[in-house]
Amino acid sequence: MAKPVRRVVTGLDAAGRSVFIMDGPAPHIYSRGAGSAVVTELWETRSAPASSAGNAETTAHPFQLAPPRQGTVFRIIEYPPDSERLAALERERASADDGSGHAAAFDRASPRHPGFHKTDSVDYAIVLSGEIYALLDEGEVLLTAGDVLIQRGTNHAWSNRSKESAFLAFVLIDAEPV
């Protein structure tokens, strides 16, 4: 990413007063190589209702595409232009399973875009900057800065047809399969 994402997290001190427990660049950033999307993990919950107890880092583990069972994930993803990303997606589709759930989520039968995938989650996607197309099995829509998409466990892909990276914030919430 061009600029690290500053993450500020609140918590409680030993006396039960609210304090800032973390303030700095998000420490867990994932990329599968040149041309791939870059994922910055910001926070994760592992239950519903979520627990706000403790001050431990919640993203210190290997990357997982989907949120934990009954949990959530908050992340920012940088999508390079398709002119860079399509070749990286083809490499990712051909590579061995890395345990993240990424390989299993791919829809290898879709001829529309190599990034088609599906997860058992409801995803709130907010375009922070740039523009990107949300593709479904039927249809597509151009999203620009400020637009919001609610992705409800359906097969989809992201296509950046511009010359600049697009930055999207996502909140993924575990959901039953559709």
Side-chain angles (χ1 to χ4, degrees):
M1 299 183 82
K3 176 182 159 199
V5 177
R6 179 182 178 202
R7 182 186 67 163
V8 180
V9 181
T10 65
L12 299 175
D13 65 14
R17 292 183 306 254
S18 61
V19 295
F20 296 103
I21 60 170
M22 298 175 195
D23 184 349
H28 299 285
I29 301 169
Y30 304 95
S31 175
R32 289 183 169 80
S36 292
V38 178
V39 179
T40 301
E41 296 288 39
L42 298 170
W43 201 252
E44 178 178 291
T45 65
R46 298 184 182 112
S47 63
S51 173
S52 292
N55 293 334
E57 172 62 52
T58 63
T59 63
H61 56 75
F63 176 74
Q64 291 292 310
L65 178 62
R69 189 77 184 124
Q70 297 188 355
T72 66
V73 172
F74 180 33
R75 60 178 52 132
I76 293 176
I77 302 180
E78 175 187 0
Y79 290 97
D82 279 2
S83 60
E84 301 169 27
R85 186 166 168 254
L86 292 180
L89 280 167
E90 292 294 354
R91 284 193 311 272
E92 292 169 23
R93 286 167 49 124
S95 65
D97 187 358
D98 63 3
S100 70
H102 192 254
F106 274 127
D107 175 1
R108 289 174 171 77
S110 177
R112 294 195 60 212
H113 192 278
F116 263 91
H117 66 285
K118 177 170 43 172
T119 57
D120 296 331
S121 59
V122 172
D123 307 344
Y124 303 145
I126 306 105
V127 181
L128 301 174
S129 67
E131 63 179 47
I132 197 159
Y133 285 85
L135 283 66
L136 299 180
D137 291 331
E138 298 292 330
E140 65 185 41
V141 64
L142 176 62
L143 302 169
T144 59
D147 290 344
V148 175
L149 176 105
I150 293 89
Q151 163 47 38
R152 300 175 54 225
T154 62
N155 200 30
H156 66 286
W158 299 100
S159 178
N160 180 353
R161 299 171 189 163
S162 77
K163 294 184 184 320
E164 303 294 328
S165 287
F167 292 82
L168 281 74
F170 289 88
V171 176
L172 285 70
I173 303 164
D174 181 49
E176 295 297 326
V178 290

